[in-house]
Amino acid sequence: MDTTSNQILDWSGLTGQTVLVKYEGKTIRTGRVEIVSPDAGTLWLERAGVLERKLYSRAEGFGMVPLDLGQAGKR
C-alpha cells in the first residue's frame, strides 16, 4: 500500500490520532499524536512500550499519514 500519497499537510487536527511517520518515503514509526504545536509545524508522539516520546517537525522533512482516516486533517 502506497501511503505517501495519503500524507496530510495540515497537522493541526492530529492530536489523539494514530499516524504513520514518514521520512524520505519510508515509514519510520507508528504512534499516537500527543500534542501539536500552535503553528502545526511540529508534533509529539506519545511514548509507546520501549519507544520514547518523540518530537517530529515538518521542516525536517517528516510527513504524517493518519490511520484514523475518518478524523484526518486537511490534505
Side-chain angles (χ1 to χ4, degrees):
M1 177 172 131
D2 175 24
T3 56
T4 304
S5 61
N6 293 333
Q7 289 185 42
I8 61 169
L9 301 176
D10 182 359
W11 293 2
S12 63
L14 291 178
T15 301
Q17 300 295 311
T18 301
V19 296
L20 297 176
V21 180
K22 306 289 278 188
Y23 187 74
E24 296 182 352
K26 296 179 182 169
T27 300
I28 60 168
R29 182 172 172 179
T30 301
R32 186 169 185 269
V33 178
E34 181 178 346
I35 193 166
V36 178
S37 65
D39 70 356
T42 58
L43 58 75
W44 282 95
L45 285 193
E46 293 179 347
R47 179 183 177 143
V50 298
L51 297 174
E52 295 292 324
R53 184 175 186 247
K54 177 91 171 128
L55 177 71
Y56 292 96
S57 170
R58 188 176 28 247
E60 293 176 349
F62 292 99
M64 300 295 154
V65 177
L67 296 179
D68 305 329
L69 296 176
Q71 302 173 17
K74 298 174 190 168
R75 288 186 188 211

